[in-house]
Amino acid sequence: MEFRMGYRSQDRVRLIASAVPSIHLASLSVPVAAAAGGGGSDGRGSVRDSAPRKRELCTTLGDNGTACHEGTDSPTASDAGLIDPEQEVVSPLVPQPTSMHHCGSQCNLRPFHRSSAVRVQPRMVSVGCQTESPLPSPPAHSDESSSVSMDHPGDMPWSPEEEMMSESSDEEPSKEPLQQTNFDLNAADKFIVCQSQLMSLFTICPACCGETQGYVEQQEGTYIKIKQVCATCGYERFWQNQPMLHRNMPACNLLLSGAIHFSGCMATQTIRMLKLFGLQCISASTFFRHQRLYTIPTIVQAWQNEQAGIIRELKEMGGGLILSGDCRSDSPGHCAKYGTYSLIEDRINKVFDLQLVQSSEVPSSTWCELEGLKRSIDFLKEQHMQVSALITDRNRQVAKWVREELCPGGTSHFFDIWHIGKSLGKALLMAALHFNHNSSREVARTSDGEVRYAVRYPRFCKGGWVVRPIKEKPSYAYAAALMESLREGYSRSPETLRESSAVLSSTAPAPLSTSCQEIAKDEAVGLYLAQHSRFNTGN
């Protein structure tokens, strides 16, 4: 008969293969104490005599390890060892009544097979593959002495998308800093760091944690390159504070020149302010070289793209052009060096064309306005565009030329002396870009949707006041676009920007000083000293 303890034979006590012996409450004191020869009435003898009883039970089970009963394999001595010898309570050898309760297990069941493989995540390292194909899984080696189960709960799943690093690599890392220019350098935050705080980052060797010494190897404008050398382990590395554009141009040097130029700041004053603050920056000569070779061609290209977009928009609208034109000189009076003539299309309120005229190209500076208008009209004829109305000031030269050249073709001429002076001001390429991107600003409103107004006291009112609506703040997105165009243009091909600069320089008129008679410097200095000598008594 089967017993509740899991034993199956009355003659030989043994465990069946799937038996789980139970603990009986009645065996905690009387049966165990009686079998062991007594040990006290308080039950402590069963605890003291438990160890000899355990050894006797293990010996009995070990002698019957090879017996078979009813075609079922008996557990071996090693299987009998699955009983935890540290348990303090031992089941008795005699059958127990069926009224006993189960309180726990005396067996420590363990799996028959144990994995002897290394159950860790495989470590791999990429050696330069720039594809999106996942790395192959490590080959599985067959081993008769072990059974590997990758689905074991303790095994970590391997995902090829996860980045895996290797503690050691056969390739020696490059000492030169990595060049990363695939992000927006203009939008990246930049900080001012004192040199002492910067050099303190290079006092500990990252390889052996020993003391190292770093020193500035190269400094050019805002660019700095630091070399760190460890005398203990020989570790050596280079660090730089900014990437390079096209292998030889520090990015922040070029972007600083672009920021000064595109914002309209005075270069000499800005650089003087930065140097007074102690900030390492480019020199004035470097700025003007960047301006001539890179930033001016970038502005010209941006204006050409803007003008081409305006032309497409006007051709889609159809009809004749309604233009307002005026000229601005760099200085008042009859001694101006340059005259800038600008045309604004009134229907879209955008600057349509700009012409720069040097006074040496015309008989006098008063002729700059007429020459600028002629060049603008010639540009419109090249684009096959018809002018239906032209609004100018009361310049008599312009009025006569329009009456003779444009009015016969159907152009109406109107006079307005304030339309340009109040809207555009000094017409330059940057001013034209700013005007076109902010000409359609809406009136500012409060959080409740009410229109905002301001009370002004202009000088012409002589103490009186006027009310004017407040417009939204101007946008400078065009300047950020110019910065990005400058970076992309130089990264792609700096030679292209230099060629554009050469073309612009070749089409520019000769300076006014070329028309003057030159004199040797030594001769001029001698004449000056002779005229201002204190020993000169002549009148």
Side-chain angles (χ1 to χ4, degrees), residues 3-14:
F3 300 103
R4 299 290 296 178
M5 292 179 57
Y7 300 103
R8 298 189 59 182
S9 176
Q10 298 179 1
D11 300 333
R12 296 181 181 275
V13 182
R14 55 187 175 83

Side-chain angles (χ1 to χ4, degrees), residues 187-444:
D189 295 335
K190 305 169 184 64
F191 302 91
I192 298 177
V193 181
C194 295
Q195 184 177 1
S196 59
Q197 299 297 322
L198 178 61
M199 300 305 297
S200 64
L201 301 177
F202 301 92
T203 58
I204 299 177
C205 176
C208 65
C209 297
E211 294 185 0
T212 61
Q213 182 179 5
Y215 60 92
V216 179
E217 187 177 72
Q218 182 182 356
Q219 194 271 330
E220 179 183 352
T222 61
Y223 173 79
I224 183 174
K225 183 177 181 180
I226 299 177
K227 182 178 181 181
Q228 183 181 12
V229 180
C230 180
T232 304
C233 64
Y235 177 82
E236 179 180 331
R237 71 163 177 167
F238 294 89
W239 178 88
Q240 62 185 25
N241 65 333
Q242 58 188 271
M244 289 287 188
L245 298 179
H246 207 268
R247 301 186 304 273
N248 59 353
M249 172 66 73
C252 292
N253 286 358
L254 184 62
L255 293 179
L256 179 59
S257 298
I260 295 175
H261 191 182
F262 300 152
S263 62
C265 298
M266 298 294 294
T268 54
Q269 295 180 1
T270 303
I271 294 175
R272 187 185 307 116
M273 180 269 297
L274 295 177
K275 290 186 176 180
L276 182 63
F277 179 65
L279 185 65
Q280 298 298 317
C281 62
I282 59 177
S283 61
S285 59
T286 301
F287 166 80
F288 289 117
R289 177 167 53 86
H290 290 172
Q291 182 188 50
R292 183 181 69 257
L293 298 178
Y294 308 119
T295 60
I296 288 180
T298 301
I299 295 176
V300 173
Q301 181 64 37
W303 166 248
Q304 292 176 354
N305 297 336
E306 176 78 11
Q307 192 177 37
I310 295 175
I311 292 175
R312 288 193 301 268
E313 182 180 357
L314 292 176
K315 288 184 177 181
E316 293 175 357
M317 292 177 59
L321 302 178
I322 302 177
L323 303 176
S324 300
D326 194 13
C327 181
R328 288 282 176 172
S329 301
D330 61 335
S331 60
H334 299 274
C335 58
K337 183 179 181 180
Y338 294 103
T340 304
Y341 197 87
S342 57
L343 283 177
I344 294 180
E345 223 290 333
D346 290 345
R347 293 178 298 174
I348 60 176
N349 194 26
K350 289 185 178 181
V351 178
F352 181 65
D353 186 45
L354 289 174
Q355 296 294 334
L356 183 64
V357 182
Q358 186 172 283
S359 60
S360 60
E361 300 178 273
V362 291
S364 64
S365 59
T366 57
W367 289 69
C368 291
E369 183 172 0
L370 177 59
E371 181 64 22
L373 176 61
K374 291 180 180 180
R375 294 180 182 181
S376 296
I377 297 301
D378 293 340
F379 173 76
L380 295 178
K381 291 181 179 179
E382 293 177 358
Q383 302 297 327
H384 307 285
M385 306 183 74
Q386 178 65 29
V387 180
S388 61
L390 177 63
I391 306 173
T392 65
D393 56 7
R394 296 182 179 273
N395 186 287
R396 302 314 304 166
Q397 293 176 324
V398 172
K400 179 177 181 297
W401 184 84
V402 171
R403 184 175 62 253
E404 295 177 355
E405 300 293 336
L406 298 182
C407 290
T411 302
S412 302
H413 189 200
F414 302 93
F415 297 106
D416 184 6
I417 61 174
W418 295 103
H419 64 280
I420 292 297
K422 294 167 56 178
S423 59
L424 183 60
K426 293 185 177 179
L428 302 175
L429 292 183
M430 287 297 301
L433 291 174
H434 180 82
F435 181 85
N436 290 348
H437 283 77
N438 295 276
S439 59
S440 301
R441 284 186 297 162
E442 300 292 338
V443 179

Side-chain angles (χ1 to χ4, degrees), residues 123-195:
R123 293 182 177 180
M124 297 183 180
V125 63
S126 176
V127 293
C129 181
Q130 297 181 352
T131 63
E132 297 181 356
S133 302
L135 297 175
S137 302
H141 300 282
S142 59
D143 190 357
E144 298 179 357
S145 62
S146 62
S147 175
V148 180
S149 177
M150 296 304 294
D151 294 333
H152 193 277
D155 294 335
M156 297 296 294
W158 174 66
S159 177
E161 289 79 11
E162 295 181 0
E163 181 181 2
M164 293 177 291
M165 300 298 295
S166 175
E167 295 181 358
S168 61
S169 177
D170 296 336
E171 298 181 0
E172 182 180 0
S174 175
K175 297 179 181 179
E176 291 293 334
L178 297 178
Q179 307 295 331
Q180 299 179 357
T181 57
N182 55 351
F183 57 92
D184 191 356
L185 295 174
N186 185 41
D189 295 335
K190 305 169 184 64
F191 302 91
I192 298 177
V193 181
C194 295
Q195 184 177 1

Side-chain angles (χ1 to χ4, degrees), residues 436-479:
N436 290 348
H437 283 77
N438 295 276
S439 59
S440 301
R441 284 186 297 162
E442 300 292 338
V443 179
R445 296 179 179 272
T446 61
S447 58
D448 298 333
E450 298 180 358
V451 179
R452 297 179 58 187
Y453 295 95
V455 178
R456 306 295 183 187
Y457 300 88
R459 185 177 58 181
F460 66 87
C461 290
K462 297 181 179 180
W465 52 269
V466 295
V467 177
R468 294 176 181 175
I470 301 176
K471 291 187 176 181
E472 296 178 349
K473 294 183 179 180
S475 171
Y476 296 92
Y478 66 93

Side-chain angles (χ1 to χ4, degrees), residues 13-185:
V13 182
R14 55 187 175 83
L15 287 173
I16 62 176
S18 60
V20 181
S22 303
I23 302 174
H24 302 283
L25 297 176
S27 62
L28 294 177
S29 59
V30 178
V32 178
S41 61
D42 56 351
R44 299 181 181 178
S46 62
V47 178
R48 292 194 297 268
D49 300 334
S50 61
R53 193 60 184 164
K54 293 178 184 178
R55 290 193 294 269
E56 181 181 355
L57 178 60
C58 294
T59 304
T60 303
L61 295 177
D63 296 337
N64 300 326
T66 58
C68 298
H69 180 71
E70 296 179 358
T72 303
D73 294 338
S74 299
T76 60
S78 61
D79 294 331
L82 295 177
I83 301 177
D84 192 358
E86 298 299 328
Q87 296 290 339
E88 297 297 335
V89 181
V90 181
S91 300
L93 298 177
V94 296
Q96 299 296 327
T98 58
S99 61
M100 299 300 177
H101 299 281
H102 298 281
C103 296
S105 174
Q106 290 179 326
C107 295
N108 183 13
L109 299 180
R110 299 179 183 177
F112 293 99
H113 299 283
R114 296 178 61 188
S115 174
S116 60
V118 179
R119 295 177 292 178
V120 296
Q121 183 179 2
R123 293 182 177 180
M124 297 183 180
V125 63
S126 176
V127 293
C129 181
Q130 297 181 352
T131 63
E132 297 181 356
S133 302
L135 297 175
S137 302
H141 300 282
S142 59
D143 190 357
E144 298 179 357
S145 62
S146 62
S147 175
V148 180
S149 177
M150 296 304 294
D151 294 333
H152 193 277
D155 294 335
M156 297 296 294
W158 174 66
S159 177
E161 289 79 11
E162 295 181 0
E163 181 181 2
M164 293 177 291
M165 300 298 295
S166 175
E167 295 181 358
S168 61
S169 177
D170 296 336
E171 298 181 0
E172 182 180 0
S174 175
K175 297 179 181 179
E176 291 293 334
L178 297 178
Q179 307 295 331
Q180 299 179 357
T181 57
N182 55 351
F183 57 92
D184 191 356
L185 295 174

